[in-house]
Amino acid sequence: MNTRHLSTSNEDLLLAAHLLQQGGLVAFPTETVYGLGACATNAKAVQKIFEAKGRPADNPLIVHVSCWEDVSKVCCNIPSVARRLAEKFWPGPLTMLLPKQFVIPDITTAGLSTVGVRCPSNEIARKLIQLTGIPIAAPSANRSGRPSPTEFTHLVQDLEGRVDALIDGGSCQVGVESTVLDVTVSPPRLLRPGGVSLNALQAVLGDVQVDDAVLSELSPDAKVRSPGMKYRHYAPSAPVIILRGSVKDAAAFVARKAKKGLRCAVLCYQEEISFFQKASQCLSYGSQNDAQSLNHNLFSALRTMDTWNPDVIYARCPEGNSETMAVENRLKRAAGFRILSLQSPCIVGLTGGSGAGKTYVLNALRRRGAFTLDADELYHDLLNNNLLLKKELFQRFPSCITEAGIDRSILSQIVFNDDQALHDLNTITHKHILSTIRERFIQAGRDGFSIVVLDAPTLFESGFYLECHYLIAVIAPEHIRLQRIVDRDGISQEKALLRIRHQHSNDFFYQNCDFIVENDGFNQVEPQLDLIWNTLGGNQNE
Ligand code: TXA
Ligand code: MG
């Protein structure tokens, strides 16, 4: 599809309005983020929005009007509180959920009986709605899952060739999306923090309920009031991990990772930039005390960091402050709620090939006072006991269920020569395993453990290595490993060799790990562990 690039001239806006009236898609600026618009009453046109964005069909769209009077054309039974809020915050970044009228087709609201309406303060947006003469349904104009677009170049990156026109309205002033408030319930419920702060809403309404999904991860079976909250959102290509704790600890952590060759990008506050500059590529998204600057720069910064192609983005995120709630909400979602506390406990990832002696080291660290977890045992445990994991596996791999439960050997056979199946299996299992590991480690910290150790064969593949303070690898010469595998698992030399050749090399471990334990029969393991234990800050027999 040929995508026109339009200016904000009268002539171009008339053309854009014409395209919308004809059932086309036009991306346009608003004060929050760019929106991807279609005629809200035209089901076919709205369907094209879902296709162009790759948006799940159960995620409803916001309908944009140019004045309060137009709300009654799309909504009914409008409570008086809506008018009070509109008087105070419209035109502006507040979306209100109201009962919908039949003129709005089901596809626009994903089948819900309410519709989100907002009147943007951006004059180009309002002029476009007026010229079109019909309310415009518009989600943020990003490809689904990506950070919302706040600059014209972001539109081009995401939508060139997929929509009829893109209007260049410069940089969006607010930078995060509108606040979504359900005013059909009493007291009104905040579903998404945004351009209008919670404090500002409370000043008008007194009481506002904040939905659980705003700042915490929804459990997979929780009731979802705003479907958008279910999805991983705002995410750049690289994994995002939030570093919680002092800037000094964060800088030391990143420096250690960078020293091991990890390409770390750091998203931090203006005040912190000098701490990180030595260690890695670093970008500030504004002053810690200036919510407006953080809002304005967040999405743009995430997109810029994507162009650096880092292994990981470590982010500093404001927490527990209602003024910066919108940024906290977006960043935590971008991170998929991966939050690493830099204070105790110290998280250690233990790795190494088959037959190298990982289990020995794990037990030795436990004897010294560490809390230890074996990821493989945990996986077994979850396969037997975690209903959600079982359900997801059953949906993707129906044949792996037997009367006794999930059959791991059937699963291994299915994924043995099928990369897509293996990828799907890992996506399902890693998610459950990692969230359980995080929970157990947090609990171990509460129980007073200062060092926690994870023994995971897939430490690198699962991405958990990015959340470990330290990595320890156990290595041994190939002939020793071979003999141990043959003795332990009763398989042939050839099979054992094949297994070893499929695993990481010793060079890989030397390159990527902070400590190497040589378990070769010559070097004593215990003295090596004493040294590591002291460096980690562990006390003898805690
Ligand atoms: O600032 C904004 O709101 C931007 C600009 C373009 O106006 N739009 C925007 O739309 O952010 P979108 O689709 O990216 O986000 C809309 C959010 C989603 O989380 C959706 O689930 C929620 O609002 N939403 C919309 N209608 C809803 C409804 N009837 N019930 C519950 N949630 C709704
Ligand atoms: Mg969006």
Side-chain angles (χ1 to χ4, degrees):
M1 180 188 282
N2 174 31
T3 300
R4 293 170 204 248
H5 290 195
L6 301 180
S7 72
T8 54
S9 70
N10 274 338
E11 207 184 353
D12 276 10
L13 291 184
L14 272 169
L15 174 59
H18 178 71
L19 289 168
L20 288 167
Q21 287 162 350
Q22 301 294 309
L25 300 188
V26 176
F28 62 97
T30 83
E31 73 281 17
T32 55
V33 301
Y34 276 87
L36 176 59
C39 221
T41 52
N42 179 339
K44 270 196 184 151
V46 170
Q47 168 66 30
K48 289 199 274 182
I49 292 183
F50 286 91
E51 285 160 14
K53 272 185 65 105
R55 182 178 177 103
D58 66 354
N59 198 1
L61 307 182
I62 292 173
V63 171
H64 296 70
V65 293
S66 66
C67 58
W68 166 256
E69 285 64 38
D70 282 353
V71 174
S72 55
K73 294 182 187 162
V74 289
C75 304
C76 50
N77 303 328
I78 300 166
S80 59
V81 68
R83 182 170 191 122
R84 264 200 293 142
L85 288 165
E87 272 166 7
K88 176 79 182 157
F89 298 112
W90 278 12
L94 174 68
T95 296
M96 292 189 270
L97 301 189
L98 291 164
K100 92 171 179 75
Q101 278 200 32
F102 65 92
V103 289
I104 298 295
D106 281 345
I107 185 168
T108 305
T109 61
L112 297 174
S113 59
T114 54
V115 57
V117 270
R118 101 172 180 95
C119 175
S121 65
N122 180 298
E123 285 183 15
I124 304 301
R126 280 212 314 284
K127 203 160 159 189
L128 182 66
I129 304 165
Q130 281 160 4
L131 289 172
T132 309
I134 306 165
I136 297 179
S140 50
N142 49 291
R143 294 290 289 277
S144 212
R146 304 247 306 137
S148 298
T150 56
E151 303 281 345
F152 183 69
T153 49
H154 303 162
L155 288 188
V156 180
Q157 285 164 11
D158 278 22
L159 296 177
E160 183 74 40
R162 307 180 69 82
V163 303
D164 296 284
L166 310 172
I167 301 176
D168 184 352
S171 175
C172 298
Q173 183 206 338
V174 177
V176 290
E177 302 88 338
S178 61
T179 302
V180 176
L181 187 71
D182 185 353
V183 292
T184 65
V185 292
S186 180
R189 184 189 293 269
L190 180 76
L191 296 183
R192 178 177 76 181
V196 171
S197 74
L198 177 62
N199 291 346
L201 290 175
Q202 281 166 333
V204 176
L205 297 170
D207 201 10
V208 178
Q209 280 185 71
V210 179
D211 197 79
D212 286 345
V214 167
L215 292 178
S216 54
E217 190 169 22
L218 277 175
S219 72
D221 52 349
K223 179 175 163 52
V224 182
R225 293 199 174 79
S226 180
M229 296 293 191
K230 272 194 310 204
Y231 300 104
R232 177 155 188 240
H233 251 157
Y234 319 118
S237 311
V240 178
I241 296 175
I242 291 170
L243 296 183
R244 179 188 280 165
S246 76
V247 64
K248 275 196 164 158
D249 287 346
F253 173 88
V254 173
R256 213 164 47 236
K257 294 288 169 198
K259 204 171 145 202
K260 282 279 130 196
L262 196 70
R263 284 170 303 147
C264 306
V266 175
L267 179 68
C268 69
Y269 310 122
Q270 187 58 47
E271 295 83 352
E272 299 184 341
I273 207 146
S274 60
F275 286 86
F276 292 105
Q277 254 167 354
K278 284 170 240 136
S280 51
Q281 278 186 296
C282 180
L283 188 63
S284 139
Y285 65 121
S287 166
Q288 192 162 8
N289 308 311
D290 179 358
Q292 280 180 13
S293 72
L294 297 176
N295 284 347
H296 182 264
N297 298 322
L298 176 68
F299 287 137
S300 191
L302 287 175
R303 281 187 184 252
T304 301
M305 297 177 112
D306 234 358
T307 64
W308 300 346
N309 201 19
D311 293 320
V312 56
I313 296 174
Y314 288 118
R316 303 284 288 159
C317 175
E319 292 190 276
N321 174 349
S322 63
E323 286 300 322
T324 46
M325 194 187 260
V327 161
E328 180 179 353
N329 166 280
R330 304 306 188 275
L331 252 181
K332 287 189 170 172
R333 261 157 225 290
F337 292 91
R338 290 171 82 176
I339 301 168
L340 174 62
S341 174
L342 295 161
Q343 289 113 28
S344 187
C346 170
I347 300 173
V348 177
L350 179 63
T351 181
S354 309
K358 241 172 351 115
T359 309
Y360 177 86
V361 171
L362 188 73
N363 292 335
L365 292 172
R366 185 185 313 122
R367 278 201 309 277
R368 283 171 171 75
F371 175 85
T372 60
L373 256 186
D374 178 331
D376 217 41
E377 258 173 39
L378 189 71
Y379 178 40
H380 260 293
D381 192 40
L382 292 181
L383 277 184
N384 289 327
N385 301 316
N386 186 311
L387 291 178
L388 286 163
L389 172 63
K390 276 193 198 177
K391 196 170 131 193
E392 280 185 56
L393 284 177
F394 175 66
Q395 275 166 358
R396 174 61 182 82
F397 305 103
S399 61
C400 74
I401 301 276
T402 64
E403 264 173 36
I406 300 225
D407 189 321
R408 270 181 90 169
S409 63
I410 297 182
L411 266 180
S412 336
Q413 277 162 28
I414 298 175
V415 302
F416 184 63
N417 258 332
D418 182 343
D419 286 349
Q420 184 60 47
L422 180 64
H423 174 263
D424 293 351
L425 176 66
N426 285 342
T427 309
I428 296 170
T429 54
H430 288 165
K431 184 179 64 189
H432 289 277
I433 296 173
L434 294 185
S435 72
T436 310
I437 290 169
R438 287 183 199 115
E439 275 166 28
R440 301 248 177 118
F441 279 176
I442 290 171
Q443 188 53 47
R446 288 200 195 108
D447 292 345
F449 288 93
S450 61
I451 295 175
V452 298
V453 185
L454 176 73
D455 170 358
T458 57
L459 195 60
F460 289 96
E461 293 74 6
S462 67
F464 194 74
Y465 78 108
L466 300 169
E467 297 173 52
C468 294
H469 297 111
Y470 292 96
L471 301 174
I472 303 176
V474 189
I475 63 169
E478 191 169 280
H479 69 276
I480 296 183
R481 290 174 62 195
L482 258 181
Q483 199 51 52
R484 286 190 190 137
I485 297 173
V486 169
D487 292 346
R488 185 188 65 195
D489 299 344
I491 58 173
S492 68
Q493 286 258 350
E494 290 76 51
K495 274 205 170 151
L497 197 61
L498 210 65
R499 191 186 293 175
I500 289 179
R501 295 275 151 87
H502 265 98
Q503 297 179 336
H504 292 301
S505 67
N506 288 354
D507 283 352
F508 174 89
F509 291 130
Y510 271 108
Q511 233 163 54
N512 291 288
C513 296
D514 303 284
F515 302 102
I516 299 289
V517 177
E518 291 182 358
N519 185 16
D520 55 9
F522 294 106
N523 289 292
Q524 294 277 316
V525 169
E526 292 294 337
Q528 297 180 64
L529 292 179
D530 284 338
L531 225 99
I532 294 172
W533 187 252
N534 289 335
T535 316
L536 296 180
N539 306 318
Q540 282 299 323
N541 295 320
E542 274 184 312

